[in-house]
Amino acid sequence: MTYQTALDIPMKKLFVCVASALLTMLSTHAAEVRIDHPAYDKKWAATVTERSVFYAPRWGAMFRQKWEEIVKGDPNTRAVMIHLHGCGGLSGYEAIVANFSMNQLGVAVITPDFTARPGNKTGCPAMLGVSHPSETGGKERAREGIFTAKNSARMDARTDDVEALVAYVKALTDKPIILSGHSEGGRTVYHYDKVDPQIIGMAIHQQSCGYSYAHLWRLPTSYKTWQSLDDSDPWASLEDRVVTSCAYRFKGDTQNNLTLFTQPGVNHAPLNTDAMKASFTQWVNGLLGGPFVKQPVHNEAFLEGLQNKYRSTGTP
């Protein structure tokens, strides 16, 4: 494991090791929660591109048809990232990751909105001592158990969306794919269980691997994985009351597949310090063979292909 921290804190490293050992013993005993709901029907995965925002390096956010032409033809697009939101649905957090990835790393980004599935709700829990707008209804959601990340049926539905987007990207380009998620989206990343050679990395932003959610873990540890944590983030500790990394999941020959960045703090936002951004940049550039070098490309290079899409459909 590559361990990175904003401060050199030996006791923190010792705590991580002890906590990881305990979680290794306990992780198989976390009870699975599964409550189905019409919003989790697999059929809704077919609508995921209609529920997504698309970002292209150098060009910004845009509609899907133009994004497709840029991803296929712009050498500034080195890879495609599928980035998953947290419990509250699409928000400014996703724009933070998308803007940084496309402008600094040369990575195109898709941010799907899982909560837009018909009948779905946000899944943010209520927490003692934490006041947050998305806590509205949290206690009720926790009691009923349907719209929370603990529900395996919810996580299965989220990975259905991911699988549909992976298939969509693979049909479009052979450029590498990175799966990324923040908070509940991070749990979705480690719930993903498919091995695909076009997927080169997994990023878990500001989410832990605590005992209460251990039943969700399915991620093959053969993937290069990056995880960031603020060590006192209440949104990453929840019932466990401790922020726990995913290091105990990476054993034997896979230990070096995890790059773990931790820092002191309570900030739940992704990429919230320069040090965290630097760690993420180093990890992505390592996956892609070096830093992003911008190349001059004119917007008109993509117009013919884009306009032909509308000619073929007869859309005015």
Side-chain angles (χ1 to χ4, degrees):
M1 179 186 71
T2 302
Y3 186 97
Q4 299 174 336
T5 179
L7 295 174
D8 185 16
I9 308 177
M11 286 303 296
K12 181 192 293 184
K13 295 183 182 180
L14 175 62
F15 176 78
V16 169
C17 292
V18 173
S20 294
L22 290 172
L23 279 162
T24 299
M25 294 185 288
L26 294 173
S27 60
T28 57
H29 301 288
E32 180 175 13
V33 178
R34 173 170 291 279
I35 308 173
D36 289 319
H37 186 274
Y40 302 154
D41 194 308
K42 196 177 183 73
K43 69 181 180 182
W44 297 121
T47 68
V48 68
T49 59
E50 304 306 315
R51 295 183 274 111
S52 297
V53 181
F54 297 81
Y55 301 80
R58 298 183 69 249
W59 304 107
M62 64 188 61
F63 57 104
R64 175 175 56 83
Q65 291 84 348
K66 184 171 184 178
W67 183 87
E68 291 173 351
E69 294 304 309
I70 290 173
V71 167
K72 289 188 294 184
D74 190 345
N76 290 291
T77 298
R78 303 196 294 165
V80 176
M81 178 184 293
I82 299 169
H83 180 69
L84 310 171
H85 63 68
C87 59
L90 279 183
S91 70
Y93 282 156
E94 287 65 63
I96 292 171
V97 176
N99 284 318
F100 185 81
S101 298
M102 67 178 178
N103 291 322
Q104 303 301 320
L105 305 176
V107 176
V109 184
I110 309 173
T111 58
D113 190 345
F114 176 69
T115 61
R117 283 180 169 221
N120 204 359
K121 296 182 181 179
T122 59
C124 295
M127 295 185 296
L128 293 175
V130 176
S131 178
H132 193 279
S134 61
E135 191 177 340
T136 303
K139 293 180 180 178
E140 177 186 347
R141 302 283 159 81
R143 283 195 299 268
E144 65 187 9
I146 299 172
F147 302 104
T148 72
K150 275 191 173 181
N151 184 3
S152 292
R154 183 178 182 86
M155 293 294 99
D156 286 352
R158 294 206 65 170
T159 55
D160 286 342
D161 275 2
V162 174
E163 288 180 33
L165 283 174
V166 168
Y168 162 72
V169 173
K170 292 181 69 170
L172 182 69
T173 180
D174 60 0
K175 292 178 180 179
I177 299 170
I178 298 170
L179 299 188
S180 172
H182 169 247
S183 197
E184 183 182 293
R187 299 201 195 280
T188 308
V189 169
Y190 68 63
H191 193 64
Y192 186 81
D193 63 356
K194 301 295 185 293
V195 176
D196 188 317
Q198 195 168 334
I199 300 175
I200 61 169
M202 304 283 180
I204 302 169
H205 298 261
Q206 302 301 87
Q207 190 52 275
S208 65
C209 285
Y211 166 72
S212 298
Y213 295 83
H215 61 287
L216 299 177
W217 181 274
R218 296 181 183 176
L219 183 68
T221 54
S222 55
Y223 281 119
K224 298 292 186 182
T225 302
W226 181 86
Q227 182 184 21
S228 68
L229 290 167
D230 272 37
D231 64 4
S232 299
D233 176 5
W235 287 91
S237 56
L238 295 177
E239 293 95 331
D240 298 309
R241 296 293 188 260
V242 63
V243 177
T244 306
S245 80
C246 301
Y248 70 98
R249 295 291 188 178
F250 291 79
K251 305 171 184 176
D253 293 341
T254 69
Q255 288 184 26
N256 291 330
N257 288 344
L258 176 66
T259 297
L260 174 62
F261 176 87
T262 65
Q263 64 184 12
V266 297
N267 196 336
H268 192 54
L271 303 179
N272 62 61
T273 63
D274 288 341
M276 190 181 291
K277 291 175 183 176
S279 173
F280 186 59
T281 298
Q282 182 179 4
W283 179 75
V284 171
N285 286 341
L287 295 177
L288 298 178
F292 175 41
V293 179
K294 295 180 182 179
Q295 302 183 45
V297 178
H298 197 282
N299 189 36
E300 286 193 357
F302 314 110
L303 290 185
E304 182 176 0
L306 175 61
Q307 292 165 1
N308 285 339
K309 287 178 181 289
Y310 293 102
R311 290 192 184 98
S312 63
T313 61
T315 304

